[in-house]
Amino acid sequence: MPIGPELKQFRMELAGNGVLHLIFDMPGRSMNVFSNAAIEELGVFADWLRQSDVAGVVISSGKSSAFCAGADLAELETAYDMIMAAPPGERDRLAFDHFFRLSHGLRRLETAGKPIAVAVAGLALGGGCEFTLAAHHRVLADHPQATFGLPESLVGLLPGGGGTQRLPRLIGIAAALPVLLDGARINGQAAIAAGLAHELAAPGEEIAAAERWVLSRPAATQPWDRPDWRSATAQRVAGEIDGSRTKMLADTLGHYPAPVAILDCVAQGLPQDFDTAIRTEMQIFARLIQRREPRNMIRTLFLGRLDYERLKKKGLDPKLTQAVTAVSDALAAQSEPGQELAEAFARAGFRADGQRKASFDGRIAGGAYWHDDEPKSWGKELLRARLVAADSAAARWRSELDEPERRAADYVLVTQQGFPAYLGGLFAVGLH
């Protein structure tokens, strides 16, 4: 007899003791990701759970490779195109409505009134980690692969499923910031010590441990929903993150909007009640997703890396290396370009051996990249001329490379030749 709503991305199995097992198991995929279909089904399940009579829920993965690896980035790119095709005045609302569905579904899940435990036996990254944070009890397999992480900042985004709000509330701001800003991962005893996981279990025993907790008749309430919860004051939060903001801007020179947005989420959201806080997080996410930098970084550092690793296994075509060399020669960022151009390269975030580190001048990139923005300078003019020359060199190779090769070439340009990730390379789309 069927149990609950019909789901395709998840399986439901009701144990004889009344515990419902929700198993994330996308058909035809080796790894779970939060696709539009999975997000929709999670919301349907959460609404059904509220009026069900099950004793509680144990969430696990049907995949051996990971619990959930995060968002479906191909669908994210499609959503970006949809948002940017709309009139500018409608984009914030479109982005909010589209991407808030996961956060809203997770919120409905944790407030459905049933105890929810999650058994994590593999990677729980991005939206997968945010899924686990919405459970009331987390059991982690004592295995190096069983790991929590929020790597969104590494591809120019922020955790938009409540991650910037749940994680610091659970483990504190100081422990949360390396995860949020630097992509640090937490597993094993470190997860227990931080308060991120409640139990460590021998591999293969994590589901049974989660089920035992559900059967202990625990309170089905998150810490931030309890009457005795006290939100942090804005002054206290600012005091804890101001040093991180200063260090981050010195490191990024203001070129990368994601860490700025993440710190804004923490600073603005933690003093608020939780339902307001996740809406604040999504308002900031909705503005961030419209910028060029996240798309550039996803295309280059994620898709480009996958393309490069696949092509490398087959044997890289020499023309890919030749193309990258041609662009690097046109940039000549490591030559003796004169002080003004050298300083402009450094301030724009280009990396070269022996290069003097630029100092942050207080200017955070807005709608324009630093080299296109005011105030004008001779160094910026020289840098733009080099970029135009490099773009022309890349254009001569674009017809010689297919789309995966162009993304792979951009990946090499960024990771091996010092080209800034926020610009995304020059082969896939050119200078923009």
Side-chain angles (χ1 to χ4, degrees), residues 167-172 175-176 179 186-198:
L167 188 67
R169 280 172 168 83
L170 284 169
I171 69 174
V179 180
I186 305 179
N187 62 10
Q189 285 293 344
I192 296 289
L196 186 52
H198 299 90

Side-chain angles (χ1 to χ4, degrees), residues 79-334:
Y80 174 90
D81 290 338
M82 177 267 293
I83 292 161
M84 299 310 290
E90 297 179 16
R91 291 174 187 169
D92 284 1
R93 178 188 58 78
L94 274 174
F96 186 101
D97 291 347
H98 181 82
F99 289 107
F100 190 59
R101 294 173 304 138
L102 175 59
S103 191
H104 191 211
L106 293 175
R107 185 63 176 147
R108 279 144 52 209
L109 185 69
E110 71 182 358
T111 58
K114 306 292 183 183
I116 298 170
V118 61
V120 180
L123 294 173
L125 301 179
C129 181
E130 291 175 303
F131 191 10
T132 72
L133 298 181
H136 305 113
H137 191 77
R138 284 166 292 283
V139 181
L140 187 64
D142 193 4
H143 186 278
Q145 192 73 2
T147 301
F148 299 104
L150 294 168
E152 285 86 346
S153 66
L154 304 182
V155 290
L157 290 172
L158 65 85
T164 70
Q165 302 307 308
R166 289 187 180 88
L167 188 67
R169 280 172 168 83
L170 284 169
I171 69 174
I173 295 172
L177 289 183
V179 180
L180 292 168
L181 295 176
D182 306 325
R185 298 182 183 183
I186 305 179
N187 62 10
Q189 285 293 344
I192 296 289
L196 186 52
H198 299 90
E199 290 184 66
L200 271 186
E205 298 297 321
E206 62 279 350
I207 293 176
E211 189 174 271
R212 283 195 296 274
W213 179 83
V214 170
L215 291 172
S216 71
R217 300 183 181 277
T221 310
Q222 293 283 31
W224 42 86
D225 290 324
R226 295 171 189 160
D228 60 349
W229 177 263
R230 295 291 178 266
S231 296
T233 65
Q235 185 177 9
R236 196 195 99 198
V237 175
E240 290 201 49
I241 69 171
D242 280 353
S244 295
R245 191 183 294 272
T246 299
K247 180 181 181 301
M248 176 271 295
L249 289 171
D251 291 340
T252 67
L253 301 174
H255 295 303
Y256 294 84
V260 175
I262 287 168
L263 290 177
D264 287 345
C265 286
V266 175
Q268 296 175 33
L270 288 198
Q272 298 173 331
D273 68 86
F274 197 81
D275 289 297
T276 302
I278 57 173
R279 296 186 72 85
T280 295
E281 176 189 79
M282 185 46 57
Q283 287 163 359
I284 295 170
F285 182 97
R287 293 191 293 271
L288 177 65
I289 195 66
Q290 297 175 54
R291 295 186 60 136
R292 292 173 289 181
E293 295 92 343
R295 196 179 199 197
N296 290 344
M297 293 174 72
I298 290 169
R299 187 182 61 244
T300 303
L301 295 179
F302 181 77
L303 299 175
R305 176 178 60 82
L306 296 178
D307 291 328
Y308 176 76
E309 291 173 351
R310 186 166 52 246
L311 292 168
K312 190 176 181 181
K313 283 182 181 177
K314 296 192 298 183
L316 283 177
D317 192 319
K319 66 185 179 185
L320 191 149
T321 303
Q322 294 165 11
V324 172
T325 299
V327 168
S328 296
D329 288 346
L331 280 170
Q334 300 188 46

Side-chain angles (χ1 to χ4, degrees), residues 330-346:
L331 280 170
Q334 300 188 46
S335 66
E336 296 293 334
Q339 183 176 354
E340 285 184 304
L341 180 54
E343 290 177 354
F345 267 121

